[in-house]
Amino acid sequence: MATFGESIANFFSGNDPETQEGLHGLFVTELQDIYYAEKQAVDALGEQADASTTDEVRNAFLQHQEETRNQVARLEQVFSSIGIDVEEGSCDAIDGLVDDAQRVVSNTDSGSLTRDAGLIIAGQKIEHHEIASYGSVVTFAKVLGYTEAARLLEQTLEEEKTADKKLTSLAESFINDRAADESNGDTNSYSNDRNQTSDFDRYGVVNPDGTRYEDNSTITGSATRSTSGNDTTSNTTW
């Protein structure tokens, strides 16, 4: 009789015939649930983009919405690669996370960077769920010997990790600081009018492709911020 350690090793090497059928069924169920979740995420990202205050946050959500559409198509390739019909499952987690994002919109003022900060948090919660889900099915695909499926799923996993990092960079660039100003009593409404450059002078501007520049006329690919009177320059891309 195999020891517990040997059983685990056999399981993850794909050499445990007793678990293959059950694992295959679990793998398909997880794929179906992720497929449902990604389709819900496409709609949610559009809603989050519509609710965003700044062009930078709006563009981030719209870019990931398009990426998510591609991920839905990629999942359909995964189903095909393992000989399974495309079918949606269910996912209470994504339903709850989408509800949380809608609650952020209800509980924050339109035109505030506090709303953008909340939407970024909501977006990252969804990304973290997707990262966990894709990490699991990548492992299942490898154990089951589905090489092509593993490759496709791993590609999406890396995209989800990158999307999460982009949201973090965006929050750190200027959203969180400015939202803190609002909560401390600065009630001046944020303006997307490019003629009002005080916030952009302070934090830099983010292009739709993720590069940053200092003003509306000179694209430099870097962001310059003043800290305690000293200028520090960092190359920030996402």
Side-chain angles (χ1 to χ4, degrees):
M1 181 176 179
T3 66
F4 177 73
E6 289 171 338
S7 296
I8 293 295
N10 289 336
F11 176 83
F12 282 104
S13 65
N15 295 321
D16 187 358
E18 294 181 4
T19 64
Q20 292 302 294
E21 184 176 349
L23 183 60
H24 178 269
L26 179 60
F27 176 57
V28 172
T29 298
E30 288 296 316
L31 285 179
Q32 292 169 341
D33 292 352
I34 293 173
Y35 186 64
Y36 168 85
E38 290 287 33
K39 295 185 78 171
Q40 297 304 305
V42 169
D43 293 337
L45 285 162
E47 293 172 359
Q48 291 166 350
D50 289 342
S52 299
T53 296
T54 62
D55 289 340
E56 292 74 26
V57 174
R58 183 178 300 109
N59 287 337
F61 284 128
L62 289 175
Q63 287 170 13
H64 193 50
Q65 183 186 46
E66 185 60 29
E67 188 172 55
T68 302
R69 289 193 182 102
N70 293 333
Q71 291 168 353
V72 169
R74 191 178 294 136
L75 280 170
E76 293 169 354
Q77 289 180 264
V78 171
F79 281 107
S80 177
S81 75
I82 64 174
I84 299 294
D85 291 337
V86 176
E87 184 178 344
E88 285 186 30
S90 62
C91 183
D92 292 339
I94 194 66
D95 291 338
L97 291 170
V98 170
D99 286 344
D100 281 348
Q102 293 171 343
R103 219 169 5 250
V104 166
V105 175
S106 299
N107 294 337
T108 54
D109 293 332
S110 176
S112 69
L113 286 182
T114 299
R115 172 173 290 184
D116 273 6
L119 285 171
I120 288 174
I121 292 171
Q124 288 195 286
K125 288 178 181 179
I126 293 174
E127 292 306 320
H128 292 174
H129 167 71
E130 292 179 332
I131 288 168
S133 297
Y134 276 106
S136 297
V137 291
V138 165
T139 298
F140 288 169
K142 290 178 178 179
V143 169
L144 291 166
Y146 294 136
T147 305
E148 177 65 7
R151 183 188 67 79
L152 293 167
L153 292 167
E154 203 153 26
Q155 184 177 347
T156 297
L157 175 60
E158 292 307 311
E159 289 175 354
E160 301 295 7
K161 290 178 179 179
T162 299
D164 180 49
K165 291 176 182 178
K166 289 177 180 179
L167 289 173
T168 296
S169 296
L170 183 56
E172 291 175 347
S173 66
F174 72 100
I175 297 294
N176 287 342
D177 287 348
R178 188 63 182 86
D181 290 344
E182 290 177 346
S183 67
N184 289 331
D186 181 0
T187 58
N188 292 328
S189 176
Y190 177 86
S191 172
N192 279 321
D193 183 350
R194 297 302 191 185
N195 292 324
Q196 298 185 20
T197 60
S198 58
D199 281 303
F200 294 106
D201 288 340
R202 180 179 176 188
Y203 296 108
V205 185
V206 183
N207 270 318
D209 67 357
T211 58
R212 301 190 63 197
Y213 58 96
E214 294 179 3
D215 55 40
N216 292 329
S217 60
T218 305
I219 299 177
T220 64
S222 64
T224 302
R225 292 187 59 178
S226 177
T227 306
S228 301
N230 296 320
D231 288 338
T232 59
T233 302
S234 60
N235 295 322
T236 307
T237 58
W238 41 282

